[in-house]
Amino acid sequence: MKINNRQLFWMIMMMEIGINLLISMTATILYAKQDAWISYILAGFMGLIITYVAAKLSSRYPRQTLMEYSVTILGKWGGKLIVIPFILQWFWVISLILRDEFLFIRLSVLYKTPAWIVIGTMLGVVLYTVYHGGIEAIGRVSELWGPILMIILALTFALTANNLNWPMLLPVYADTGPGPIMNGALAPVSLLGESVLLMMLFPFVENAGKGTRKALLLGVAFSSVMLLFGVLWVLMTFGPAISGRLQFPFFEMVKLVYLMEFIQNMDIFVMAVWLVCIFVKLSIYMFITSYGLAQWTGKTGSWKKISLIVAAVSFILTMLVITLNPPAGLLLKGVWIRYVLPVNMIGIPLFLWLVSAVKETSHTDNRR
């Protein structure tokens, strides 16, 4: 199974843009109000730093995944223990993405469709792709649909430009300050930081090296620019007060497209492409969870069989989350931003990178 740098770039783009446009915007606007666009700029820079650290770490072990080089760096028990938070995160993320997909589809089109049908259908398609095509199939889908996503977003921005009201962005900074702007940046950076999953994908890239790091950083940079345009358009369309009360403000903005009496209902195109983004993201997570769990248990050759278990557990967890219906803010702020961002996206990659660098330096000194 191999992918190239171009496919990796589109995978990162689709993974970062899809869910970020859906769930991070409201939380950011509630904190930073009309300065939410500044929060997105900060989030973009922080996302690039997180991606750079993870890419540099993986570059040291280009033929190993996180599961393998954590053992190389820390030894058998230390290496296996330190990756447990990642395994738990991957299961958790799959369930939350499926929950958000179900909520969005129910609110938009399938009002009375049972949850298990919506969840089971998407999970079935994802499982089929991962089981039969692996990471190669995901790379090809991303390469095909990534440019279409860009065209749809560009059309959306162009066709809603006549609704923009620049004074909605004023005053700049005076009503918020550094605290709210930083708090507003946490939601988008915690999603942009998901690029750390590249630590599982690096060995599958053909001729992984500087070109791979460049593709990853460009993927995060372009995603950040698209998200910045998205929040600017939302703010200039609805203003911070209304945007902060909308569950999915970007898609509410798309519904306003109306031009020359025949260009309208653009939201159906955006929804279709967004579902492809969710499919790509779920497929990546399903693959790395299955492959990572197989490596962690020492049964790498059985990763396809393990994907069946991952799908079943994800379905049960998703139905549980839907039934319990915890507040989205609690999941995003109470768990994702408080624990996953500092531990899995910053702490563990940085720690492994430092230990690896120290061991390499000591090894070099000993040889002298």
Side-chain angles (χ1 to χ4, degrees), residues 332-358:
L332 184 63
K333 289 184 290 186
V335 180
W336 190 254
I337 293 176
R338 181 172 297 175
Y339 299 108
V340 177
L341 174 63
V343 176
N344 287 13
M345 297 178 187
I346 299 174
I348 294 177
L350 198 58
F351 175 70
L352 289 175
W353 187 25
L354 291 174
V355 174
S356 171
V358 170

Side-chain angles (χ1 to χ4, degrees), residues 226-245:
M226 287 295 113
L227 293 169
L228 175 62
F229 277 115
V231 76
L232 280 170
W233 253 241
V234 165
L235 285 171
M236 288 191 286
T237 301
F238 297 118
I242 295 176
S243 302
R245 291 199 294 269

Side-chain angles (χ1 to χ4, degrees), residues 56-348:
K56 286 292 286 184
L57 172 62
S58 294
S59 297
R60 289 175 170 271
Y61 310 93
R63 295 184 180 179
Q64 296 182 1
T65 67
L66 169 67
M67 298 292 157
E68 293 171 311
Y69 64 65
S70 62
V71 173
T72 303
I73 296 171
L74 300 178
K76 183 179 178 181
W77 290 107
K80 284 188 177 293
L81 285 174
I82 203 169
V83 296
I84 289 177
F86 282 99
I87 296 173
L88 297 175
Q89 173 200 327
W90 295 335
F91 275 108
W92 193 63
V93 170
I94 291 173
S95 304
L96 290 188
I97 296 172
L98 285 169
R99 195 280 295 262
D100 288 334
E101 183 230 353
F102 163 69
L103 289 177
F104 182 70
I105 287 180
R106 189 183 64 176
L107 287 173
S108 303
V109 284
L110 305 177
Y111 310 106
K112 296 183 180 179
T113 305
W116 67 270
I117 292 181
V118 178
I119 301 304
T121 304
M122 176 60 91
L123 205 51
V125 176
V126 169
L127 178 61
Y128 180 85
T129 305
V130 171
Y131 190 90
H132 290 284
I135 195 65
E136 281 188 14
I138 303 168
R140 290 173 186 171
V141 170
S142 305
E143 194 176 21
L144 173 66
W145 281 92
I148 297 174
L149 168 67
M150 291 299 102
I151 293 171
I152 294 291
L153 285 178
L155 281 174
T156 301
F157 291 138
L159 294 175
T160 51
N162 59 330
N163 297 327
L164 302 184
N165 188 7
W166 290 92
M168 292 281 194
L169 297 177
L170 300 176
V172 176
Y173 192 76
D175 286 351
T176 52
I181 289 174
M182 281 300 297
N183 279 329
L186 292 177
V189 76
S190 69
L191 297 171
L192 287 169
E194 286 183 275
S195 58
V196 294
L197 55 75
L198 67 92
M199 295 189 292
M200 285 298 299
L201 299 180
F202 222 78
F204 297 101
V205 180
E206 288 177 340
N207 304 317
K210 287 184 178 178
T212 307
R213 291 202 297 274
K214 183 179 177 182
L216 290 163
L217 291 170
L218 281 176
V220 175
F222 274 105
S223 304
S224 302
V225 171
M226 287 295 113
L227 293 169
L228 175 62
F229 277 115
V231 76
L232 280 170
W233 253 241
V234 165
L235 285 171
M236 288 191 286
T237 301
F238 297 118
I242 295 176
S243 302
R245 291 199 294 269
L246 296 173
Q247 188 171 7
F248 305 118
F250 185 81
F251 290 93
E252 295 299 328
M253 182 194 75
V254 176
K255 291 178 182 176
L256 299 179
V257 172
Y258 187 83
L259 191 66
M260 294 184 291
E261 298 186 354
F262 68 93
I263 299 178
Q264 51 187 309
N265 297 328
M266 279 285 292
D267 52 310
I268 197 69
F269 296 104
V270 175
M271 183 189 296
V273 178
W274 178 79
L275 284 175
V276 179
C277 291
I278 296 303
F279 163 77
V280 168
K281 186 163 185 165
L282 278 171
S283 300
I284 295 172
Y285 269 110
M286 177 77 76
F287 174 76
I288 64 172
T289 307
S290 306
Y291 202 88
L293 204 55
Q295 287 187 321
W296 193 79
T297 54
K299 298 178 179 177
T300 307
S302 303
W303 74 269
K304 287 189 175 182
K305 293 178 182 175
I306 291 178
S307 69
L308 300 174
I309 300 172
V310 171
V313 172
S314 300
F315 181 82
I316 294 169
L317 285 177
T318 307
M319 294 304 296
L320 195 62
V321 172
I322 291 173
T323 303
L324 297 175
N325 194 26
L330 174 67
L331 295 173
L332 184 63
K333 289 184 290 186
V335 180
W336 190 254
I337 293 176
R338 181 172 297 175
Y339 299 108
V340 177
L341 174 63
V343 176
N344 287 13
M345 297 178 187
I346 299 174
I348 294 177

